Every structure is written in structure tokens, then in C-alpha cells.
Amino acid sequence: MIPHGVEIFVGLEPIDLRCGFERLAGVVEERLGRQTRSGALFVFFGKRRTALKVLFYDGTGLCLFYKRLDAGGFQVPRGLEEGATHLAVEEHVLEELLDGLRVEAPTRGPRPH
């Protein structure tokens, strides 16, 4: 159900999942250096990695998706570069993340800005 061709950015640092729309939008712009209303999907994990939030703009407003796993935790991909704050991933990687599967960071460089 992820739109084909959409940019997807995974935040690598855990966040407080009590954050709402405005605070997450601030994280996108301050930590990830991206525009919240660009149409991209922004994925954030909590400290325990048992839950995540996805923030995106659908053209009319900000949307927030929240998922908590019943058992286990999400496997956050590691950044390719030391000190990386986010990672660009493909649609299939996000689908695997949402299913709770272990995913690896892409072997190619990040998408162009």
C-alpha cells in the first residue's frame, strides 16, 4: 500500500513516540534536513524498537501512521556512514520493516536530494 516511487527516509536515532505531528515535522526538518511536505515518508522508531511512526504528507495534510508489534522488535537498519541520522530505503524495505522482518541497509548510495 506504499505509493510506488515515493521517497522513504528512516530516522536512525530513536525518538519519543509521544511526539505528535508538529514535533515530528520539526525532527524531519532539523535532524533529517528534509521538507516535511515533500511527499516523502519519514519513519521513526522508539527507544525500545517495539513501535514506530510514519509521517507523510498526502497533498491535503500531514498523516501519521503508528504501529506496535505484539512480540519482538523492529530491526532498524544501520547507516552506511558513521554519524548518519537517516537512511533512504526502497518501498520493499519499508514493507519488510513494517512486517517486523530484519532488513539490511542498501548497498548503493543514498538517493539524490
Side-chain angles (χ1 to χ4, degrees):
M1 314 243 202
I2 300 165
H4 180 67
V6 69
E7 289 184 301
I8 303 165
F9 298 98
V10 178
L12 299 176
E13 300 172 9
I15 64 158
D16 182 347
L17 288 176
R18 295 175 293 181
C19 293
F21 292 95
E22 296 307 318
R23 184 174 274 176
L24 285 176
V27 170
V28 167
E29 295 185 12
E30 292 172 15
R31 287 192 201 171
L32 280 58
R34 310 294 300 183
Q35 293 295 316
T36 306
R37 289 172 170 80
S38 66
L41 302 178
F42 301 97
V43 182
F44 300 99
F45 296 92
K47 186 176 181 180
R48 292 182 291 170
R49 297 184 179 150
T50 57
L52 62 73
K53 282 188 173 182
V54 180
L55 181 71
F56 61 98
Y57 181 71
D58 71 353
T60 63
L62 288 174
C63 303
L64 193 57
F65 173 80
Y66 181 86
K67 181 167 184 176
R68 185 186 74 205
L69 293 176
D70 287 336
F74 291 103
Q75 302 296 317
V76 180
R78 299 187 198 285
L80 295 175
E81 299 175 18
E82 177 129 358
T85 59
H86 66 283
L87 183 66
V89 298
E90 301 292 330
E91 296 96 21
H92 71 91
V93 174
L94 178 56
E95 289 174 0
E96 292 170 0
L97 273 174
L98 292 174
D99 288 340
L101 302 176
R102 180 178 200 87
V103 298
E104 300 298 325
T107 54
R108 62 182 180 87
R111 294 181 185 180
H113 296 253

